[in-house]
Amino acid sequence: MTADLRHLRAFLAIAEAGSVTSAAAVLRMSQPALSRTLRQLETHLGVRLVDRSTHHLELTEDGRRFREKAATAVAVVDEALDPARLRPWPLRLGHAWSALGRHTTPLLRRWKERYPDTPLELLRVDDRTAGLLSGKVDIAAVRAPMIPADAQGLLGEWLRNEPRVAAVPAGSELAEKSPPLTLEDLASHTIALNTVSGLTTLDLWPEEIRPEASETVKVANTDDWLGAIAAGSAVGVSTLATAEMHPHPGVVYKPLDGAAEVPLMLMWRDTPRGSGRPGHPAVPRLVELALDVLAEDERGTA
């Protein structure tokens, strides 16, 4: 007997449901027929995939390993047979703000020239992994401090370290002050904090000059952050990429001393476990191209 896609779907349904009975209901087949299909697959592989000795069905060690392979195989077939995928499969590049700074436009243009058959979509998603963990994007530009500590299954490539900048209202005393500014300069002002996708927290300030939590304005995105600063309600801290991507007539960006640079990374999901689809095949090409674009910029400014 040769195992086929039917056997893989049956096994994955059992693994997901945790019982043959529940899986049979999902697949709309009889329990004996599903059990027979599982035995055929185990016979073909020469291993036990499911431990039936316990009250609650569990996968064996071989079963857990095979589950990932089976899920990937089924996902690949589903992708191949999806009529929508006959059209170009866009590569979705997520960012929470500022993308790759001044390198964003050169990257998008170079990609279009080199890979015209694979559209590259730049998507802003206001969360800490720019839509990566939620599956809204295939790869994301992420500042390292934004990555949740409990994030699992992510791979990444370091691109560069970005210096931090202060963002202050145009026409203010801080805007007129000779650069660079310091964290102490900002400490006596209300601080605008993007608590949804931003990387700045009050922990950036040393304890002896740290602003009180009551001396903050909390916003949910970059647009509101800029609006609060431009209105004269607050000052903020970000990276050079924000100054490059978000010029604003009401905001002046100043170099900031005393705050560590921020690593910018491209991150993507490892091959998903369970029933998720495989990662976009063009991810490695985008990483390579991004590194080339940044390296060319460095050579040009050296």
Side-chain angles (χ1 to χ4, degrees):
M1 188 213 78
T2 300
D4 56 29
L5 192 61
R6 172 176 57 92
H7 293 86
L8 300 185
R9 292 192 189 279
F11 167 70
L12 290 173
I14 293 170
E16 180 69 24
S19 78
V20 174
T21 302
S22 299
V26 171
L27 296 174
R28 297 184 180 180
M29 62 189 299
S30 69
Q31 181 176 337
L34 181 56
S35 296
R36 192 160 53 248
T37 301
L38 175 62
R39 286 196 299 272
Q40 290 171 347
L41 178 61
E42 290 178 324
T43 299
H44 173 78
L45 296 172
V47 297
R48 290 291 291 272
L49 300 173
V50 176
D51 184 357
R52 304 169 182 81
S53 63
T54 61
H55 178 70
H56 180 74
L57 178 148
E58 294 182 358
L59 298 184
T60 63
E61 184 176 347
D62 287 325
R64 289 191 294 272
R65 284 196 294 264
F66 182 68
R67 181 180 185 179
E68 184 171 337
K69 294 182 178 180
T72 300
V74 170
V76 169
V77 172
D78 287 344
E79 291 285 355
L81 297 180
D82 184 352
R85 295 301 181 188
L86 293 177
R87 297 184 292 274
W89 182 4
L91 176 61
R92 303 165 300 168
L93 170 59
H95 70 108
W97 42 267
S98 303
L100 275 66
R102 68 178 184 273
H103 303 102
T104 305
T105 298
L107 175 66
L108 296 176
R109 288 178 175 172
R110 186 78 63 81
W111 180 271
K112 187 175 181 179
E113 293 170 358
R114 189 172 297 185
Y115 305 110
D117 295 332
T118 304
L120 178 58
E121 298 179 351
L122 183 66
L123 304 175
R124 187 180 117 181
V125 182
D126 289 318
D127 68 43
R128 293 192 176 278
T129 61
L132 195 58
L133 291 183
S134 61
K136 295 178 180 178
V137 301
D138 304 295
I139 184 170
V142 180
R143 274 78 188 173
M146 297 165 56
I147 304 168
D150 59 350
Q152 301 291 325
L154 298 182
L155 302 175
E157 180 76 36
W158 174 86
L159 296 180
R160 63 168 176 162
N161 288 334
E162 296 178 337
R164 299 203 196 221
V165 298
V168 301
S172 66
E173 181 181 346
L174 289 176
E176 302 300 326
K177 187 173 182 178
S178 298
L181 298 181
T182 66
L183 290 172
E184 188 172 3
D185 291 329
L186 304 179
S188 59
H189 297 264
T190 300
I191 309 298
L193 299 177
N194 179 350
T195 57
V196 175
S197 59
L199 61 86
T200 301
T201 69
L202 294 181
D203 290 337
L204 180 65
W205 280 261
E207 188 172 359
E208 61 272 16
I209 60 169
R210 186 171 300 159
E212 297 291 335
S214 59
E215 299 169 345
T216 62
V217 173
K218 294 182 174 61
V219 299
N221 55 59
T222 301
D223 297 330
D224 292 345
W225 181 82
L226 288 167
I229 297 168
S233 303
V235 300
V237 175
S238 189
T239 72
L240 181 61
T242 301
E244 295 169 342
M245 294 292 286
H246 296 283
H248 192 292
V251 177
V252 174
Y253 296 100
K254 297 267 191 174
L256 181 65
D257 270 359
E261 293 186 334
V262 176
L264 171 64
M265 304 182 69
L266 281 178
M267 302 201 72
W268 59 95
R269 289 166 293 169
D270 198 359
T271 303
R273 299 180 182 275
S275 57
R277 74 178 191 179
H280 197 296
V283 163
R285 298 201 295 270
L286 180 61
V287 174
E288 181 181 8
L289 186 60
L291 291 171
D292 287 346
V293 168
L294 266 70
E296 289 180 9
D297 180 75
E298 285 188 9
R299 288 195 294 268
T301 57

